[in-house]
Amino acid sequence: MSTSYIGRFAPSPTGPLHMGSLLAALASFLDARSQQGKWLIRIEDLDPPREQAGATDSILHSLEAHGLLHDDEICFQSQRHERYLEVLEQLLKLDAIFPCQCSRQELAANRGIHNGRCHSSEVKLQSPGWAWRAAIRAIDLQFDDGLKGKQEQALAEEVGDFVLLRKDGLFAYQLAVVVDDIDFNVSHIVRGEDLLSSTARQIYLYELLNCTPARYFHLPLILNTQGQKLSKQNHAPAIQSSQASENIYYCLQLLGQNPKAEFKGAPCKELIQWGIDNWNLENIPGKLPEPAS
């Protein structure tokens, strides 16, 4: 097994696994295994109010039932708060973050983009009622996505100073995901294109921390009959472990890998091995077929 390729799947325990999540998990798994790489699981349990009791166990059971077996211990973000705070302190010393008390209403007046007026505030980290934001330089950040090609985002104008520590004391996704990917040496990130807009922010943090960014690959999304992405918020149905073979075969088809008809109904282990042996990123379509209404 190669240690030069480390991939990961990072679900949030806000509900059971749905087909869109399985598609991303399978693609990241096959990409890792096809290059003799490691595949990790990280549970992104940063937001307790949104989490669903039993969701973590349900997700892990579904992955195992579908033959997606992880390497090494599972990372739980809820157990890494001290590390996130350590990185915030590092960024504070670099004068790369600042405290903020702006309300949503105040931000809405500027298209949701922070206008920089909090930069002179002086408070301590984790002071109640204060968020902490990354101080964004006026740059056009460019990167090459492995599936979407060249990407560019003017961070200051399009995103602004984004939150790393929330007012309620919870660590923000953008901070935690980068710290975790750095600490666990994640080299390749295969995920849904709904996260493409977050990538420039994450690369910006990599650069602040003087680390080389992972290689990103953003997959097309499965949509529901209303044209919305499958998600727990949109009440996407949970995948059934009793239909694991059918689910894997369907995802291989959506990913453009063209599994042979004779593999329908084959055990997940055989389907996945076929997927590893025949994996081709170039076959992934730019857009998935519209669902039947």
Side-chain angles (χ1 to χ4, degrees), residues 70-131:
H70 61 92
D71 303 300
D72 296 343
E73 293 186 7
I74 296 172
C75 169
F76 291 87
Q77 290 186 328
S78 59
Q79 299 174 6
R80 289 177 50 76
H81 291 181
E82 289 185 9
R83 175 60 178 146
Y84 303 146
L85 184 59
E86 180 181 280
V87 172
L88 280 177
E89 290 170 344
Q90 179 182 346
L91 292 173
L92 182 59
K93 291 177 181 178
L94 295 172
D95 198 27
I97 61 174
F98 64 91
C100 171
Q101 277 191 316
C102 291
S103 67
R104 291 183 180 179
Q105 290 78 10
E106 290 171 320
L107 294 172
N110 192 38
R111 298 178 293 114
I113 297 175
H114 189 270
N115 63 8
R117 64 175 160 179
C118 299
H119 282 207
S120 61
S121 301
E122 293 185 7
V123 297
K124 294 182 179 180
L125 279 173
Q126 294 187 297
S127 295
W130 288 85

Side-chain angles (χ1 to χ4, degrees), residues 161-215:
D161 304 318
F162 57 93
V163 172
L164 299 180
L165 180 66
R166 293 168 23 178
K167 285 183 180 180
D168 58 9
L170 297 179
F171 294 97
Y173 164 77
Q174 305 295 353
L175 173 72
V177 68
V178 171
V179 174
D180 292 340
D181 287 335
I182 290 172
D183 286 357
F184 288 86
N185 299 309
V186 172
S187 61
H188 294 68
I189 298 172
V190 181
R191 61 188 185 183
E193 67 182 1
D194 54 321
L195 292 169
L196 182 60
S197 62
S198 292
T199 307
R201 278 172 276 180
Q202 292 166 16
I203 292 175
Y204 184 80
L205 291 178
Y206 271 101
E207 293 177 351
L208 284 178
L209 296 169
N210 198 29
C211 294
T212 302
R215 185 87 165 90

Side-chain angles (χ1 to χ4, degrees), residues 9 17-27 66 148 191-195 218-239 246-256 284-292:
F9 176 59
L17 213 62
H18 56 73
M19 194 64 74
S21 299
L22 180 64
L23 185 85
L26 178 63
H66 285 77
K148 302 295 182 183
R191 61 188 185 183
E193 67 182 1
D194 54 321
L195 292 169
H218 286 90
L219 302 162
L221 302 177
I222 302 178
L223 304 179
N224 62 20
T225 54
Q226 288 75 46
Q228 304 166 318
K229 75 160 188 169
L230 287 187
S231 69
K232 293 151 190 170
Q233 291 81 4
N234 292 327
H235 309 292
I239 57 172
E246 293 91 332
N247 295 338
I248 294 293
Y249 188 88
Y250 176 60
C251 286
L252 286 171
Q253 287 182 310
L254 289 179
L255 291 167
I284 297 176
K287 185 177 181 181
L288 299 184
E290 295 287 340

